[in-house]
Amino acid sequence: MLQPGLMMDRPLLVSDVIEHGAAQFGDVEVVSRETHGPLFRYTYAQCAARARKLANALKQLGLEPGKAVGSIAWNNHRHLEAYYAVSGSGMVMHTCNPRLHPQQLIYIINHAEDSVVLFDSTFAPLVKAVAAHCPKVNAWICMSEAANMPVIEGVANVLCYEDLIAPHSEQFVWPQFDERSGAALCYTSGTTGNPKGVLYSQRAIVLSAMSASMPGSVSLSPKETILPVVPMFHINAWCLPYAAPMSGAKLVLPGPRLDGASLYELMEAEKVTVSAGVPTIWLSLLQHVEQNGLRFSTMRRTGVGGSAMPAALISKFADNYDVEVRHGWGMTETTAVATIGCISATQMNLPAAEQHAIIAKQGKSVYGIEIKIVDENGATLPRDGVAQGELMVRGHWILTGYYKGESSPLVDGWFPTGDIATIEPSGIMQIRDRAKDVIKTGGEWISSIDLENAAMGHPAVANAAVIGVKHPKWDERPLLFIVRKPGQTVEREEILAFLTERVAKWWVPDDVVFLDALPVGGTGKVQKADLRKEYGGVFS
Ligand code: AMP
């Protein structure tokens, strides 16, 4: 018979993370770029105090555990306070991606049943566009002080964050509850149809943040200053806003300024040692540094993921700037980092180019996560670095089902990622392709099927297909193929103008190619591989 362990059974709760930060690293700084420009700075102790004030304010607004609170916001200190106040109170922090088309934003706010939505003033026009269509939102809280409040005509229930929390106490007793309760919600913007919600548990977030802090991952400690460029509205910013106070690292939040010059300036001014973001961000940062003959005084390591980090960029960071890249893989469904690469003691003796080639792959699964690849029949493929199959993942912070979803996406307890990968005998995984034809642009997804559907809505269009074409800055941009209806004369400009009215601006294809027919395969499907072969070069 098994012996019961004689250890306390304390739940892993998000509120304990900020209270730990406040108690153990109370004087460690959080530096945040305000939406209107200046830098704001305070400590983890002050952050915790203001999170408690917000928790009191939300309670007074009538919000109860289990309710959802939306955010449309940059990486900044008020968003950080909301992360803790909302999840710490047992409510669900629903981070909305402001880059979604307003229709999709309306969909996710309504689907999540957000009771209030916190937003940065940058997104006031978005709030104006969606508010009338979100009947369950009782208040729109602008994360600002009174002096910088935007005027939003036609939206009645707009509150000022600072005015809202000002009268409230810094004392709040965080409720204790089941660690498996929902803490945060993030919608995927992939493939086709409506976005799907991933509801992260308190436990998943805490474990994932602990994992991200480990030395082989992003690696955080009181010696480090971390600047997460990965947005807090996308996959919990890889749980770094939790990992930083957990491990005592100083936290620097860049607000809306994500261009190379602003990031460099912030890194230097705040002595940032480690960062994290998508390759596109690092491309523009490096361009700025190179063009101006600059050096990093303190930056030594960066986590990169979201799309593949080219080996050339890894080499540039390492060889020219002494910055180590940790290349990771994850998806909305995996809470944060699931695999990450780190050069081992034995690999350190390899020539630099070989080390960079290793890091260009997506690394090993972290403790708590398992990966495998399977063929189209679900049979496990060998870890030989050659066999390619669909990447399957399971572990402590992998979803079991989509929020309000009807059927489970799991296959034998594993989540099928839709990515095609190889795994080497050593465990190093490499993403080879995407099973779907989603287009990755600047770290965000464009659904080729949605774009095709929109184009097909034009009365002169008989058929349409979209592929991603390599782009030096954005990673990929969409290229649209159109087959005109017989006798129709529609041209490029008209099609693009038509799409501009129907999809987000950054979804509008960079170019249109008119064909007599699309290549169709044996099962009647458009052969995008053929289109890619002929047209998949590089957009300039
Ligand atoms: P999202 O859910 O929007 O974060 O997108 C997740 C998808 O991004 C994954 O399924 C991959 O297709 C892709 N992805 C994430 N990280 C990487 C990486 N390091 N290399 C290549 N693709 C990646």
Side-chain angles (χ1 to χ4, degrees):
M1 196 166 107
L2 294 176
Q3 289 278 357
L6 297 176
M7 291 291 124
M8 293 182 190
D9 189 10
R10 304 263 303 141
L12 298 168
L13 297 179
V14 165
S15 55
D16 287 336
V17 175
I18 195 62
E19 291 304 339
H20 172 76
Q24 308 307 324
F25 308 107
D27 59 349
V28 173
E29 277 187 320
V30 177
V31 179
S32 167
R33 173 77 66 194
E34 295 265 21
T35 304
H36 64 284
L39 282 182
F40 171 89
R41 67 180 66 235
Y42 65 176
T43 62
Y44 282 130
Q46 289 166 311
C47 174
R50 280 171 53 92
R52 286 185 230 112
K53 280 165 89 79
L54 177 60
N56 279 316
L58 293 174
K59 194 172 181 183
Q60 203 191 37
L61 284 180
L63 272 76
E64 291 164 355
K67 291 281 181 195
V69 172
S71 67
I72 313 175
W74 301 114
N75 292 10
N76 59 38
H77 69 286
R78 294 190 185 94
H79 205 179
L80 184 70
E81 292 158 13
Y83 260 43
Y84 289 105
V86 174
S87 306
S89 301
M91 296 185 287
V92 174
M93 181 77 240
H94 170 209
T95 54
C96 301
N97 184 341
R99 296 185 188 132
L100 290 180
H101 186 274
Q103 283 309 324
Q104 286 182 320
L105 205 55
I106 290 167
Y107 173 84
I108 64 172
I109 290 172
N110 288 332
H111 190 265
E113 300 183 54
D114 293 339
S115 302
V116 302
V117 174
L118 300 146
F119 68 98
D120 276 322
S121 55
T122 316
F123 305 115
L126 212 46
V127 168
K128 184 175 158 72
V130 306
H133 307 283
C134 302
K136 293 201 170 154
V137 177
N138 300 316
W140 300 85
I141 303 172
C142 183
M143 300 210 280
S144 163
E145 55 283 283
N148 293 307
M149 283 291 286
V151 177
I152 312 181
E153 278 164 25
V155 184
N157 41 354
V158 177
L159 304 178
C160 167
Y161 183 99
E162 291 300 329
D163 290 354
L164 179 74
I165 69 167
H168 289 283
S169 165
E170 290 183 358
Q171 308 302 318
F172 183 82
V173 180
W174 299 111
Q176 297 293 301
F177 46 82
D178 190 334
E179 65 183 14
R180 290 165 296 186
S181 314
L185 178 63
C186 182
Y187 282 77
T188 65
S189 42
T191 57
T192 181
N194 285 322
K196 289 182 280 193
V198 182
L199 182 58
Y200 309 105
S201 64
Q202 304 264 338
R203 169 189 161 83
I205 285 178
V206 173
L207 289 175
S208 182
M210 286 171 82
S211 171
S213 311
M214 284 177 68
S217 186
V218 180
S219 182
L220 293 179
S221 77
K223 289 183 182 165
E224 308 286 358
T225 296
I226 172 108
L227 189 160
V229 185
V230 283
M232 289 171 72
F233 58 72
H234 193 181
I235 336 176
N236 315 299
W238 299 1
C239 286
L240 297 173
Y242 309 101
M246 188 182 265
S247 55
K250 172 178 164 182
L251 180 61
V252 181
L253 300 168
R257 295 204 193 158
L258 304 175
D259 59 288
S262 302
L263 288 177
Y264 177 78
E265 192 191 306
L266 194 57
M267 285 170 172
E268 289 296 301
E270 296 303 325
K271 298 189 170 38
V272 169
T273 58
V274 51
S275 189
V278 294
T280 317
I281 291 282
W282 302 139
L283 204 62
S284 60
L285 177 69
L286 265 192
Q287 261 167 15
H288 172 77
V289 170
E290 277 178 344
Q291 278 163 8
N292 296 284
L294 303 168
R295 310 287 312 166
F296 295 107
S297 318
T298 52
M299 246 275 285
R300 289 293 166 261
R301 188 169 60 257
T302 182
V304 186
S307 54
M309 179 74 163
L313 217 54
I314 296 169
S315 313
K316 248 187 208 167
F317 264 120
D319 300 342
N320 302 357
Y321 296 100
D322 202 17
V323 173
E324 181 191 352
V325 168
R326 298 273 173 91
H327 186 191
W329 170 90
M331 54 201 306
T332 308
E333 289 88 342
T334 70
T335 308
V337 177
T339 75
I340 195 158
C342 175
I343 293 297
S344 68
T346 46
Q347 291 166 338
M348 275 164 78
N349 300 322
L350 293 173
E354 284 182 39
Q355 293 188 31
H356 303 154
I358 293 170
I359 292 299
K361 297 169 187 171
Q362 282 75 6
K364 301 185 177 199
S365 62
V366 296
Y367 171 74
I369 301 290
E370 293 168 79
I371 55 171
K372 66 173 181 178
I373 47 173
V374 297
D375 66 16
E376 55 275 20
N377 302 316
T380 302
L381 291 164
R383 291 160 70 117
D384 59 5
V386 179
Q388 296 194 14
E390 182 170 13
L391 181 65
M392 312 286 283
V393 61
R394 74 176 178 193
H396 301 304
W397 50 94
I398 308 298
L399 94 168
T400 53
Y402 292 100
Y403 185 51
K404 298 183 187 170
E406 273 155 27
S407 57
S408 167
L410 303 191
V411 178
D412 298 332
W414 293 77
F415 175 69
T417 66
D419 285 333
I420 302 299
T422 51
I423 305 178
E424 296 174 7
S426 67
I428 293 177
M429 185 273 287
Q430 184 173 10
I431 300 284
R432 300 285 180 167
D433 202 352
R434 289 168 211 137
K436 301 274 180 283
D437 297 307
V438 147
I439 297 151
K440 262 279 159 100
T441 190
E444 299 289 337
W445 284 30
I446 294 177
S447 158
S448 58
I449 295 167
D450 283 1
L451 259 185
E452 288 157 11
N453 285 342
M456 300 271 281
H458 191 285
V461 172
N463 208 349
V466 176
I467 61 166
V469 171
K470 286 277 168 225
H471 188 282
K473 177 160 185 209
W474 300 112
D475 190 8
E476 284 183 347
R477 290 294 304 152
L479 173 64
L480 172 64
F481 297 88
I482 293 285
V483 180
R484 295 186 187 99
K485 284 185 182 160
Q488 298 286 338
T489 55
V490 63
E491 293 299 343
R492 176 183 186 276
E493 272 60 36
E494 188 182 333
I495 292 284
L496 294 181
F498 179 81
L499 288 175
T500 304
E501 287 172 16
R502 285 160 181 82
V503 297
K505 212 164 106 211
W506 56 276
W507 278 42
V508 175
D510 282 21
D511 211 346
V512 184
V513 175
F514 291 91
L515 298 175
D516 290 334
L518 296 176
V520 175
T523 57
K525 291 198 185 77
V526 174
Q527 299 294 289
K528 290 195 182 177
D530 294 355
L531 291 174
R532 273 193 210 104
K533 221 177 276 165
E534 197 166 345
Y535 299 96
V538 179
F539 273 135
S540 49

